[in-house]
Amino acid sequence: MTVLRIAAAAAHFGRDLEFDLARVAKLITDARGAGAGLLVLPDAALGGYLADLRRPDPDALPPALKPDDAVIARVAALAAEMVVCVGFCEDGGDARYNAAVCVSGDGVLGLHRKVHLPAGETAAYAPGDRFEAFDTPAGRIGMLIDYDKTFPESARSLALGGAQILACLSAWPTSVTNRAPRMAQDRQSRLFDLYDQARAAENQVVLASSNQTGVMGGMRFLGQAKVVGPGGDVLARTWSKAGLAVAEIDVAAEIDRARRILHHIRERRPDVYRETPT
């Protein structure tokens, strides 16, 4: 039996990289103190998210970093024996990407470029073109960046690649077009939780969902970090406040238990699935 403590963070990050690094350091220290072997930080934790999804200002974009940048190396050094997933704006040379890296003291373990871009992001970022699971000291992991988890195929691709843990990094705001008077009544708040639980349950995997909090430009972020078990049950959560959701789970044993009778991956019927009607 191999028990892993997983921490998912809800926290605010902005354009000041030194501020962001200090917050990352504090969250890593807190997660380590809670015994976590895996910490999932929010999307855009290094440099902040876009300030306006409808009309992003090209002169006010997050700082772009290469995966081997000294800033990411500092996060890896802070991670040391832990595995830490963190979001950033990637400098891809002739394009920018909304990206995430998974690091430990050994360096970069995995990289994901957000594949599904909402309308506003297409003015600032190019889309990624793949979903790949990778091995880490905490287990085999696949990463999703906020809007990616809206699409069932994203998480299913990672599960088919052997991912046992989905790290979902988000900068997910309340509804931009139809805000509710209370966050709990917001449509995006309900969808955020629904997607987290559905993606875990339909693939029978563990899911760690982080998110930004606070305000950036015209957007208010939801928080609602959580760890979800392979049955879709929420094991720990932060609600809308900043903090860490920490859960202890024997990942392999719980996945085996969830798949003992109904094994969703093995019982698929790809021969009858159609993208368009015949």
Side-chain angles (χ1 to χ4, degrees):
M1 183 173 71
T2 304
V3 173
L4 176 68
R5 283 201 176 192
I6 300 172
H12 178 69
F13 297 89
R15 291 286 182 268
D16 186 333
L17 286 171
E18 288 301 320
F19 171 89
D20 294 339
L21 282 166
R23 180 148 290 175
V24 166
K26 176 66 163 58
L27 288 166
I28 289 175
T29 298
D30 291 347
R32 180 175 287 117
L38 170 64
L39 169 63
V40 180
L41 296 166
D43 175 28
L46 299 176
Y49 189 59
L50 303 178
D52 189 337
L53 259 184
R54 287 174 288 192
R55 291 176 297 277
D57 182 352
D59 297 322
L61 297 178
L65 309 171
K66 292 188 179 295
D68 61 356
D69 191 277
V71 171
I72 291 174
R74 287 171 66 182
V75 177
L78 289 166
E81 82 291 350
M82 291 173 58
V83 175
V84 176
C85 300
V86 61
F88 71 110
C89 173
E90 182 190 353
D91 177 358
D94 56 356
R96 286 169 166 254
Y97 298 93
N98 188 345
V101 285
C102 186
V103 300
S104 72
D106 292 328
V108 175
L109 306 172
L111 169 71
H112 174 61
R113 292 170 171 173
K114 185 175 179 180
V115 172
H116 300 98
L117 304 181
E121 279 196 17
T122 59
Y125 300 117
D129 61 4
R130 70 195 66 185
F131 293 99
E132 292 182 333
F134 51 92
D135 293 319
T136 79
R140 191 159 176 84
I141 292 176
M143 292 190 289
L144 303 171
I145 298 176
D146 46 42
Y147 196 42
D148 281 337
K149 71 181 175 185
T150 303
F151 301 85
E153 299 87 348
S154 305
R156 178 55 51 87
S157 296
L158 293 169
L160 289 171
Q164 293 187 307
I165 302 170
L166 300 183
C168 298
L169 300 83
S170 293
W172 196 292
T174 57
S175 176
V176 174
T177 57
N178 187 24
R179 288 187 176 172
R182 298 179 61 240
M183 189 178 290
Q185 299 169 332
D186 189 271
R187 176 176 178 271
Q188 290 301 325
S189 177
R190 295 195 302 273
L191 288 174
F192 187 81
D193 284 346
L194 175 64
Y195 294 146
D196 284 340
Q197 293 179 260
R199 298 296 90 89
E202 66 199 6
N203 293 291
Q204 297 170 305
V205 295
V206 175
L207 183 147
S209 175
S210 61
N211 197 18
Q212 294 241 13
T213 60
V215 174
M216 184 83 172
M219 288 183 293
R220 180 187 178 197
F221 298 108
L222 292 169
Q224 297 179 199
K226 66 183 73 64
V227 180
V228 186
D233 46 320
V234 177
L235 305 177
R237 66 189 311 160
T238 65
W239 301 102
S240 62
K241 295 181 179 180
L244 291 175
V246 181
E248 183 174 275
I249 183 169
D250 185 328
V251 175
E254 290 302 317
I255 289 175
D256 286 346
R257 184 177 290 111
R259 295 176 177 177
R260 186 171 299 158
I261 304 300
L262 300 176
H263 194 301
H264 300 167
I265 299 298
R266 190 172 60 214
E267 294 162 356
R268 294 182 313 119
R269 290 288 310 279
D271 56 309
V272 302
Y273 304 150
R274 300 282 187 274
E275 290 189 7
T276 57
T278 56

